[in-house]
Amino acid sequence: MNQKKSSLNTESLLTLKTFYNFKIFGIPFILFISLIFLMFIVHITDSLPKNIIGGISIMFVLGAIFGEIGNRLPLFNKYIGGAPVLIFLVSALFVQQGLLTQNEVNIVTAIMKETNLLDLFIAVLITSSILSVNRFLLLKSLIGYIPTIIAAIIGASFFGIMGAVLFNIPIDEIMMLYVLPIMSGGNGAGAIPLSEIYESVTGNAKEHYYSVAIAILTIANAVAIIFAACLNTLGNIFPSLTGDNTLLRKSKLNIQTAVATSITSRDIAIGLAITACIYAFSYALSENILPNFWGIKIHTFAYMVLITAVLNIIGICPDNICEGTKRLGIFFTEHLLWILMVGVGIAHTDLDSLFLALTFTNVIIAAFIVCGAVIGAALGGWIMGFYPIDAAITAGLCMANRGGSGDLEVLTASNRVSLISYAQISSRLGGGITLIISSILFGLF
């Protein structure tokens, strides 16, 4: 009897020890519960500070809770995208259901859209990913990437026409209202200027075109996220089809630059300074100095990709600074991504618009077009010397989503955030190619 009682006490102690050692986002459970309690008091009194500190506090708590759930949720963590996807979906649901106060929504939205936390995140990932690649390998990959994007557009158009035949929809309608919006590089750099081109060429109201285009784009973005998770699973099953965060295959060069023996916090800080300076100059180019080529606006991030690539290719960044910038990117992706995805869900995701557009026909045709972009990019990428899965994700899915936030959603769902630079080429330069095509097709149709 005493032995049984002793055994029960031992089990209880082990259970208590396990409970005490359980961590959420690396924080001991008891401490994390205390933080939740503090934030609950802030929430029910609607007293969240109206600044970036207040916004980060609520974004951190929501991100940590649903990130841990997303990592542990069976099937969802393997096939739907895991933590990042669950975080932004639940955050958007919180807004739709009124579970957050309007003050909290406004504060997080201001951080994302006025403070532009998303821009900082993308800018850091662009510089860190490009500066960590061997300069010769980088040049070789960029040369073959534009043809891969064009292959994705061709594939999306072909499958879109198949959808037109299936649902007895005119081909011109499929191209103008489905294929072009989906492959235009998002909302701000895609659907909006696309509607302007539509009005200027056809004389019809841009508002009608935009309302249809943004609905179709929203569906395609959701489909692209699901496809991204599926491609990641396919890569795990057939590892020969993916470079696992490496785009170029058949190369004798090592993709990583030589790593300096000692990296200091100053090297990481220099990486942030380089990112800020390149972003500032790219913004100046995009807004004032050289805003467009042949009437097509060039986005800030497109300039960032080009400028950072030039810095890498000419070799003026020492290895320690390149490695410091790389580690800055790792810090953002491994420790700030969950926080950022809360902001994406609250400020950049409208579930009401998605639900309204979710008709059977729209979903199937959008899926056809996204599938075509994936197949076109995979085949084109293979011909250009890329891994097909990584090419399909970057040149295909990142063309068929809603731009910057869509790129992050797709790349996190596919576990390939380090390929953000190629995703930005797709969203920005690829979107520009689609706008050129649209100005021709609108005139023909």
Side-chain angles (χ1 to χ4, degrees), residues 424-438:
Q424 285 298 300
I425 294 174
S426 298
S427 294
R428 309 311 173 185
L429 297 183
I433 294 172
T434 302
L435 293 180
I436 295 173
I437 295 172
S438 68

Side-chain angles (χ1 to χ4, degrees), residues 134-138 140 250-256:
N134 181 284
R135 71 186 72 168
F136 302 108
L137 189 55
L138 175 65
K140 184 177 180 180
K250 291 185 179 180
S251 175
K252 296 179 181 180
L253 294 171
N254 190 339
I255 193 168
Q256 302 296 335

Side-chain angles (χ1 to χ4, degrees), residues 147-379:
T148 305
I149 290 176
I150 295 174
I153 297 174
I154 294 173
S157 301
F158 179 75
F159 273 68
I161 293 172
M162 288 176 58
V165 173
L166 179 64
F167 289 97
N168 196 27
I169 298 174
I171 292 177
D172 59 341
E173 183 176 328
I174 283 289
M175 291 300 298
M176 288 193 297
L177 297 180
Y178 290 84
V179 175
L180 292 178
I182 289 174
M183 303 300 289
S184 64
N187 181 33
I192 291 176
L194 197 61
S195 63
E196 297 283 350
I197 295 173
Y198 175 80
E199 184 178 67
S200 65
V201 174
T202 67
N204 298 322
K206 62 183 179 182
E207 290 79 11
H208 172 70
Y209 182 86
Y210 177 77
S211 63
V212 176
I214 195 63
I216 298 302
L217 179 59
T218 302
I219 295 174
N221 188 76
V223 173
I225 295 169
I226 297 173
F227 271 52
C230 293
L231 285 174
N232 181 53
T233 301
L234 184 65
N236 293 334
I237 298 173
F238 302 102
S240 62
L241 297 178
T242 176
D244 192 18
N245 282 289
T246 299
L247 188 63
L248 193 64
R249 60 182 173 83
K250 291 185 179 180
S251 175
K252 296 179 181 180
L253 294 171
N254 190 339
I255 193 168
Q256 302 296 335
T257 55
V259 178
T261 55
S262 178
I263 303 301
T264 66
S265 57
R266 175 59 63 89
D267 295 320
I268 298 174
I270 292 172
L272 181 59
I274 290 174
T275 298
C277 291
I278 294 175
Y279 177 86
F281 181 64
S282 299
Y283 180 86
L285 285 173
S286 177
E287 297 297 321
N288 297 312
I289 301 173
L290 196 60
N292 62 72
F293 284 105
W294 298 298
I296 303 300
K297 183 173 176 59
I298 306 300
H299 196 276
T300 297
F301 291 139
Y303 274 123
M304 274 202 77
V305 170
L306 296 175
I307 293 169
T308 310
V310 169
L311 287 179
N312 188 339
I313 291 169
I314 63 179
I316 64 173
C317 286
D319 288 342
N320 63 305
I321 292 179
C322 289
E323 181 65 18
T325 307
K326 177 184 175 182
R327 294 191 186 183
L328 176 67
I330 292 173
F331 172 76
F332 270 67
T333 55
E334 291 188 357
H335 305 295
L336 297 184
L337 180 61
W338 289 6
I339 295 172
L340 182 79
M341 296 310 291
V342 174
V344 170
I346 292 175
H348 294 283
T349 305
D350 186 353
L351 291 184
D352 290 328
S353 298
L354 177 60
F355 292 151
L356 287 174
L358 280 176
T359 65
F360 177 77
T361 300
N362 284 349
V363 171
I364 297 302
I365 292 178
F368 263 60
I369 295 170
V370 174
C371 183
V374 166
I375 294 175
L379 292 176

